[in-house]
Amino acid sequence: MASSEVLIPSNKKVRPHPTQNEALLFEKSSPGKRAYKLPPLDVPAVNAAALLGAAHRKTPGELPELSEIEIIRHFTRLSTWNYAIDLGMYPLGSCTMKYNPRVNELVARIEGLAEAHPYRPDSLAQGILEVIDLLQRCLIEITGMDAITLQPAAGAHGEFTGILLVRAWHESQGNPRKKILIPDSAHGTNPASAAICGYTVETLKSNAEGGIDLDALTRQVDEETAALMLTNPSTIGVFESQIAKIAEILHAKGALLYMDGANMNALVGKARPGDFGVDVMHLNLHKTFSTPHGGGGPGSGPVACKAFLEPFLPTPVLVQNENGAKGWNYDRPQSIGRVRAFYGNVGMFIRALAYILANGPDGLRQTTEDAVLNANYIRAKLEDFYDLPYRTPSMHEVVFSDKRQAVKGVKTGDIAKRLIDYGFHPYTVSFPMIVHGALMIEPTESESLEELDLFIDAMQAIAREVDETPELVKTAPHSTRVSRLDEVQAARKPILRWRPTK
Ligand SMILES: *Cc1c(COP(=O)(O)O)cnc(C)c1O
């Protein structure tokens, strides 16, 4: 691994390689440069001040002045400093960073779908309404639930919507109840969503297998428990084999079972939450159903529920009249109301539906099997090198700990940084919290055997480096434009936009 000092000639007159050049990229502005050239005005000038009134800006904004090619190079260069699923494996556990198939993009760009305006009357929007209806029916079938809303814009937003449904239903029974139970392995959004909906959060300790301790659950669930929020498979990638019993314990006390469906990539086509007692759940289309993720979003977090929760779903809901025409129904007196403008991130619905239809039932089942197989292949190849805190069978992801490396002073974060030098995006670091020094690895079905082997080679090589040259790992990455950043400072004092130098 050559360092950038070696790669870049020291003679300042030699221009550094474009992908490495960080020299004052944001400070290239020079007065008068323009990225466009317009012919002189040959019509009467509009009085902008009169036209815009108070919105008219008296002094021009201080923007960088650059030529078109400088701007294009700036953004193209920035794009090369990032890692993407289109460059290689992205094993970020719990995030299901699968490939975004190009057929999705092709379908999403069909003019009639891409240009459908939300204010178009229902009578002129039958095509896009059919897409929405078909996706709803596919997701209802996949989850085994009775009804669905596609409005929520992400998983966390789906949790919020789902818990509002729980609250509205309890209220209709005369008492909204006070608390939500959440296992200690849960994603941080779960307690946040419960709290935003006005509930207190009570933590459930996991048992030795990383699952729900049934005795603890029986002790903790009472007449003030609104619901249990459960991720299944859990965030350590383990299927909750007692799930039906858990639902029974909750229902006996009038409490509901909410399932965080972020890990549905391990279940699609194999098991349906609606069949194992779940009352309400969310899906992450940007995880399980291959729509773009993170900075490439926007996301989509549909919420599916059993029939008794249907009256509370956000307005509007899609209905069909007796002639078969589809339209939106706003007349829903028990609804929790809107949770998002218009109908949700419709572009993501089109992509998710394209993915579902392109794969078909057998393809989706195969996807699940491949995702689980890939995770277990990695587990088998790495368990001699890294500590495996839970021996319970893995589903679509596997969680190791840094216990063996920590004795050499090397932490999970160091190993993740070293992985960057080997050309991979890091796995998820230090999550879930129940595993000290967690390395959470989710390969997804997208990866070939060759790519998995490269990843395994890298992880094994790093384990050997920890034994032989731990400093090398502790100071990684060595191949990137910048090495270790002050992550606390970046979170506390982010610089999110260009500012003119005074
Ligand atoms: C990703 C994830 C969420 C949150 O989903 P967002 O779309 O990021 O809001 C919730 N729970 C689990 C287990 C997740 O992996």
Side-chain angles (χ1 to χ4, degrees):
M1 219 68 49
S3 77
S4 53
E5 283 82 350
V6 180
L7 287 174
I8 300 171
S10 59
N11 177 356
K12 290 279 185 295
K13 289 232 165 70
V14 176
R15 185 178 58 72
H17 188 274
T19 62
Q20 296 291 331
N21 180 10
E22 59 180 298
L24 299 174
L25 277 169
F26 289 90
E27 311 303 339
K28 278 195 168 166
S29 179
S30 62
K33 272 196 185 174
R34 289 289 177 274
Y36 60 88
K37 204 183 256 175
L38 295 177
L41 202 60
D42 63 354
V43 292
V46 176
N47 184 340
L51 204 64
L52 296 171
H56 182 239
R57 146 168 238 171
K58 306 218 165 33
T59 47
E62 288 181 87
L63 297 173
E65 295 175 89
L66 297 157
S67 67
E68 180 174 320
I69 193 170
E70 285 171 318
I71 295 168
I72 292 297
R73 284 186 181 158
H74 171 68
F75 286 109
T76 304
R77 185 161 37 218
L78 285 184
S79 76
T80 67
W81 291 351
N82 215 341
Y83 191 89
I85 187 66
D86 290 348
L87 287 171
M89 182 171 163
Y90 206 128
L92 199 62
S94 201
C95 291
T96 312
M97 303 299 290
K98 64 169 71 178
Y99 174 61
N100 313 127
R102 290 306 183 265
V103 66
N104 298 357
E105 300 304 318
L106 195 73
V107 176
R109 281 164 179 70
I110 293 173
E111 203 182 339
L113 300 177
E115 307 272 296
H117 194 281
Y119 281 140
R120 194 184 276 192
D122 293 347
S123 60
L124 299 178
Q126 290 299 303
I128 190 75
L129 295 185
E130 177 65 29
V131 167
I132 293 174
D133 181 55
L134 187 55
L135 176 64
Q136 291 192 161
R137 284 188 284 131
C138 289
L139 297 178
I140 284 172
E141 173 62 28
I142 287 168
T143 55
M145 307 299 277
D146 301 320
I148 195 164
T149 174
L150 303 183
Q151 264 186 42
H157 195 199
E159 294 168 25
F160 168 71
T161 305
I163 298 301
L164 282 185
L165 297 180
V166 168
R167 187 173 190 102
W169 180 76
H170 280 301
E171 248 157 15
S172 78
Q173 307 293 300
N175 176 9
R177 301 195 169 194
K178 291 202 172 69
K179 67 177 184 187
I180 301 264
L181 301 178
I182 300 180
D184 52 7
S185 59
H187 194 272
T189 51
N190 289 190
S193 300
I196 280 183
C197 294
Y199 285 111
T200 51
V201 173
E202 202 172 293
T203 306
L204 260 183
K205 263 186 83 63
S206 300
N207 64 18
E209 289 77 48
I212 295 285
D213 181 335
L214 288 191
D215 293 335
L217 177 67
T218 310
R219 271 196 311 278
Q220 281 177 256
V221 61
D222 59 21
E223 267 70 29
E224 285 303 343
T225 308
L228 165 70
M229 286 181 93
L230 187 72
T231 308
N232 193 22
S234 72
T235 49
I236 54 167
V238 170
F239 187 82
E240 182 53 73
S241 55
Q242 311 259 40
I243 187 76
K245 185 83 188 130
I246 289 168
E248 221 173 86
I249 294 170
L250 291 162
H251 292 154
K253 295 277 185 185
L256 303 185
L257 177 55
Y258 181 96
M259 189 177 112
D260 178 330
N263 290 343
M264 274 298 285
N265 211 41
L267 299 187
V268 174
K270 290 286 177 183
R272 307 194 314 163
D275 297 338
F276 54 64
V278 171
D279 299 300
V280 50
M281 65 178 292
H282 79 263
L283 295 162
N284 296 57
L285 299 189
H286 47 289
K287 292 181 180 170
T288 315
F289 297 97
S290 84
T291 72
H293 207 138
S300 179
V303 171
C305 63
K306 288 284 171 66
F308 71 97
L309 292 172
E310 193 277 341
F312 308 98
L313 284 178
T315 42
V317 299
L318 195 59
V319 290
Q320 191 166 337
N321 69 20
E322 54 289 353
N323 315 323
K326 296 185 173 62
W328 296 106
N329 176 17
Y330 291 83
D331 182 20
R332 297 178 46 85
Q334 287 189 288
S335 167
I336 60 167
R338 250 186 198 293
V339 296
R340 198 186 176 280
F342 302 117
Y343 315 111
N345 286 329
V346 174
M348 296 306 119
F349 307 164
I350 301 165
R351 288 172 175 83
L353 183 62
Y355 170 82
I356 290 169
L357 296 181
N359 279 289
D362 293 339
L364 290 177
R365 200 170 294 118
Q366 182 76 48
T367 292
T368 302
E369 288 171 5
D370 290 349
V372 172
L373 180 64
N374 283 356
N376 280 280
Y377 181 67
I378 288 175
R379 173 175 161 155
K381 294 280 184 178
L382 292 184
E383 61 184 327
D384 289 342
F385 296 81
Y386 296 91
D387 174 65
L388 188 67
Y390 292 97
R391 313 294 312 177
T392 332
S394 290
M395 299 287 288
H396 65 308
E397 59 197 358
V398 55
V399 181
F400 294 100
S401 93
D402 63 10
K403 200 168 160 188
R404 286 188 216 171
Q405 288 72 31
V407 296
K408 295 266 184 179
V410 177
K411 303 277 175 55
T412 175
D414 302 317
I415 300 163
K417 297 274 190 215
R418 184 65 178 144
L419 200 50
I420 298 171
D421 285 335
Y422 282 88
F424 291 96
H425 191 281
Y427 48 77
T428 294
V429 172
S430 303
F431 177 79
M433 311 280 259
I434 55 168
V435 173
H436 189 265
L439 293 70
M440 185 198 221
I441 301 169
E442 180 182 5
T444 85
E445 73 283 1
S446 302
E447 302 311 327
S448 65
L449 182 60
E450 291 76 12
E451 185 77 6
L452 292 176
D453 282 337
L454 283 176
F455 174 77
I456 288 160
D457 284 350
M459 288 297 290
Q460 292 180 351
I462 296 170
R464 281 189 290 270
E465 287 173 354
V466 172
D467 285 333
E468 290 153 19
T469 50
E471 262 331 287
L472 185 65
V473 181
K474 280 200 265 187
T475 51
H478 304 282
S479 61
T480 48
R481 206 175 54 78
V482 289
S483 185
R484 300 225 172 181
L485 302 174
D486 185 340
E487 287 165 13
V488 176
Q489 187 81 349
R492 294 286 146 76
K493 293 197 174 138
I495 301 168
L496 299 177
R497 67 180 186 86
W498 179 86
R499 281 173 200 282
T501 42
K502 283 282 178 294

